[in-house]
Amino acid sequence: DRDLMPSLRGKPLTAISSAEISDILEEIAERSPSASRKAYNALSAVFGYAARKERSIFKTHQSPLREVDSPSVLPPRQRILSDGELRLIWSSAGDLGWPFCEIVRLLIATGQRLREVAHAPWTEFDLPHSSWTIPGTRTKNKLPMLVHLNEPARSIIKNLPRVMNDGDFLFSTTGKTAVSGFSRAKRRLDALML
């Protein structure tokens, strides 16, 4: 929606050129090399699907991606936040209010991924045994994970309001789905930290 649709919305696939795609990917890469790679992968999926499903209209050899260099795969990130940075984030999160304050602090206390925390249902937690069992359906590597809950994590979870919602999520602002709006919350957190 952000990177491809503004330029390509409503265009027939056969009218999209390799030069146009290269320009779009270069522009995206200036902001984020990983976003450029994701955009390339999305285009690859669209053109591949078209070539498989609409062979009479769109031939594989017509794909403009054949002439576009694939953005390079970035090495895994190696950066680790310092204790001072973590203290600043923890402190600044206090001004975010519910539910983002609690989400940010639970991310720090558990070391888990954003959606593992933000989309967690109450049923995954065993507070008397200080444990959180994340099923493989919700982990990146598709394997179940047992997370020990330290005292800060237990305290955050114990003090959460129990919001009735369809998925029994720890965090829900709609009563129907898990919380969303992370980009806006991240921008607010960045501003608070400055």
Side-chain angles (χ1 to χ4, degrees):
D1 287 341
R2 176 181 181 176
D3 295 319
L4 300 174
M5 293 302 285
S7 301
L8 303 177
R9 177 178 278 123
K11 266 193 176 180
L13 291 184
T14 54
I16 299 172
S17 71
S18 57
E20 184 176 16
I21 290 175
S22 291
D23 289 346
I24 291 169
L25 294 177
E26 284 177 23
E27 187 178 317
I28 297 168
E30 288 176 12
R31 185 189 84 245
S32 167
S34 63
S36 179
R37 179 70 187 185
K38 289 176 185 173
Y40 178 88
N41 290 343
L43 288 169
S44 180
V46 168
F47 286 115
Y49 179 82
R52 285 190 310 278
K53 296 295 183 185
E54 300 294 338
R55 290 186 185 122
S56 63
I57 300 170
F58 188 81
K59 310 283 190 228
T60 303
H61 71 275
Q62 290 178 299
S63 174
L65 284 182
R66 293 182 66 196
E67 299 173 18
V68 175
D69 291 331
S70 169
S72 59
V73 177
L74 297 175
R77 289 176 278 192
Q78 299 294 321
R79 185 160 175 338
I80 297 172
L81 296 173
S82 70
D83 290 347
E85 289 171 316
L86 287 171
R87 274 192 296 276
L88 178 60
I89 294 167
W90 185 281
S91 173
S92 299
D95 291 330
L96 288 176
W98 187 89
F100 296 106
C101 168
E102 290 79 2
I103 290 172
V104 168
R105 289 179 174 176
L106 203 52
L107 287 168
I108 293 171
T110 63
Q112 298 307 301
R113 296 176 182 281
L114 174 61
R115 289 196 172 49
E116 289 170 357
V117 169
H119 294 179
W122 285 98
T123 54
E124 292 179 1
F125 293 88
D126 182 356
L127 291 179
H129 293 100
S130 300
S131 66
W132 173 21
T133 304
I134 309 172
T137 55
R138 289 199 338 98
T139 62
K140 184 175 181 179
N141 64 7
K142 306 298 181 208
L143 297 173
M145 186 180 322
L146 180 64
V147 179
H148 171 74
L149 297 174
N150 55 27
E151 183 49 43
R154 280 194 311 275
S155 176
I156 292 166
I157 295 166
K158 283 180 189 174
N159 291 309
L160 288 175
R162 192 73 184 246
V163 177
M164 296 304 294
N165 59 81
D166 295 344
D168 200 30
F169 298 111
L170 263 66
F171 305 104
S172 177
T173 54
T174 65
K176 295 182 192 305
T177 60
V179 72
S180 61
F182 305 115
S183 297
R184 190 168 53 251
K186 172 70 167 61
R187 286 192 297 272
R188 285 179 53 215
L189 181 60
D190 289 345
L192 288 165
M193 290 183 346
L194 289 175

